[in-house]
């Protein structure tokens, strides 16, 4: 079945890099996503990667995709206190082709000043 | 551009009562999604509409949950009767079409006592 796993918690110091990891099971997914959720707010799309790419960079964000190992990571350079939030990895359900997203359980990022 | 609107933001009810949530998607977005996010978990898709037709409701507990999008714009999600395990944040999202970026509303936090 389709499943997405993430570590639950990451704590870093301001200015350090953060790396959030995710594993997924559906090899037919065409897109993989990273969403950010701040307290009391909905989900905000941070970035996404197409499954035939292995890296994507967008300002402070770098996404790495290892399709063989079904492993996705999000690196945030120069992490700021405003980056404190829950980060969700998601894959689109390749089997359904309807845009249905399968989310991980989220990684809480704590940034200490 | 106005985002996805949801109301109410918070609702507290007792078990066995009924409750309804409302969502107004971004103008022009044909696809509308309802997700359930239980505390500590990632969002789980309940139902997906394409205009006023249902695309996927495979994870909707149909004995107690119902949803409609009669004119292909606004949508309502109803729970009748509510159970304790229905306590969650209900997120609405919309996209231009399936497989496009999904934009999320702020969610409705439901507490069932």
């Amino acid at each position: 079945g389709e499943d997405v796993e993430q570590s639950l918690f990451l704590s870093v110091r301001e200015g350090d890099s953060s790396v959030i990891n995710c594993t997924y099971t559906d090899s037919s997914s065409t897109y993989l996503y990273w969403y950010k959720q701040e307290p009391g707010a909905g989900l905000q799309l941070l970035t996404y990667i197409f499954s035939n790419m292995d890296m994507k960079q967008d300002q402070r964000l770098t996404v790495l995709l290892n399709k063989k190992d079904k492993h996705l990571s999000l690196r945030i350079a120069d992490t700021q206190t405003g980056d404190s939030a829950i980060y969700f990895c998601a894959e689109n359900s390749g089997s359904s082709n309807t845009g249905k997203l399968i989310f991980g359980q989220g990684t809480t990022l704590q940034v200490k000043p | 551009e106005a985002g996805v609107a949801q109301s109410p933001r918070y609702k507290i009810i007792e078990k066995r009562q009924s409750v309804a949530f409302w969502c107004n998607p971004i103008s022009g977005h044909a696809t509308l999604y309802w997700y359930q996010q239980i505390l500590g978990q990632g969002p789980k898709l309940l139902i997906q509409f394409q205009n006023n037709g249902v695309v996927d409701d495979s994870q909707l507990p149909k004995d107690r949950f119902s949803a409609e999008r009669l004119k292909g714009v606004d949508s309502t999600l109803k729970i009748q009767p509510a159970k304790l395990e229905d306590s969650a944040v209900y997120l609405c999202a919309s996209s231009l079409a399936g497989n496009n970026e999904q934009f999320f509303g702020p969610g409705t936090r439901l507490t069932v006592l």
Side-chain angles (χ1 to χ4, degrees):
Chain A
E2 300 154 331
D3 195 20
V4 179
E5 296 283 336
Q6 298 178 240
S7 52
L8 295 182
F9 186 78
L10 175 66
S11 181
V12 301
R13 293 226 171 262
E14 193 173 20
D16 287 351
S17 292
S18 307
V19 179
I20 301 171
N21 294 300
C22 168
T23 57
Y24 61 97
T25 56
D26 187 352
S27 57
S28 62
S29 294
T30 49
Y31 289 95
L32 295 128
Y33 303 85
W34 285 103
Y35 282 85
K36 177 182 180 183
Q37 187 176 40
E38 295 180 270
L43 278 75
Q44 172 197 356
L45 179 65
L46 282 179
T47 187
Y48 64 92
I49 189 166
F50 189 52
S51 60
N52 69 353
M53 299 170 65
D54 50 23
M55 188 182 94
K56 180 179 180 181
Q57 187 149 3
D58 185 359
Q59 300 181 332
R60 292 191 298 124
L61 305 178
T62 303
V63 178
L64 295 178
L65 174 61
N66 181 330
K67 202 170 178 184
K68 173 177 168 287
D69 294 339
K70 297 191 186 72
H71 182 267
L72 182 74
S73 67
L74 174 69
R75 178 177 181 269
I76 305 173
D78 187 26
T79 313
Q80 303 297 305
T81 53
D83 294 325
S84 292
I86 303 176
Y87 290 80
F88 291 93
C89 168
E91 61 173 350
N92 73 318
S93 171
S95 58
S96 73
N97 199 33
T98 59
K100 173 182 176 179
L101 294 178
I102 309 296
F103 286 87
Q105 66 270 54
T107 299
T108 299
L109 175 64
Q110 178 190 68
V111 183
K112 297 178 182 177
Chain B
E1 178 183 85
V4 176
Q6 291 187 248
S7 67
R9 291 296 311 277
Y10 304 92
K11 189 74 178 179
I12 300 174
I13 61 172
E14 295 191 347
K15 60 183 179 184
R16 291 188 289 273
Q17 286 187 321
S18 302
V19 64
F21 313 127
W22 174 81
C23 172
N24 185 13
I26 292 172
S27 177
H29 280 194
T31 308
L32 185 145
Y33 309 80
W34 283 103
Y35 289 87
Q36 179 193 57
Q37 185 178 18
I38 293 172
L39 185 65
Q41 298 181 18
K44 182 185 82 173
L45 180 70
L46 292 176
I47 189 166
Q48 177 183 346
F49 291 95
Q50 179 73 18
N51 297 309
N52 60 352
V54 174
V55 174
D56 185 344
D57 63 357
S58 57
Q59 297 196 86
L60 186 75
K62 298 181 186 64
D63 57 334
R64 297 184 300 107
F65 285 64
S66 64
E68 59 184 16
R69 193 185 184 201
L70 292 175
K71 296 182 180 178
V73 181
D74 293 7
S75 177
T76 54
L77 176 69
K78 296 178 182 177
I79 308 175
Q80 180 180 8
K83 293 186 175 181
L84 297 177
E85 60 259 36
D86 298 331
S87 293
V89 175
Y90 291 84
L91 295 165
C92 179
S94 70
S95 65
L96 279 171
N99 277 331
N100 288 119
E101 178 182 350
Q102 295 181 29
F103 294 84
F104 284 80
T108 296
R109 182 177 296 278
L110 173 67
T111 301
V112 182
L113 302 175

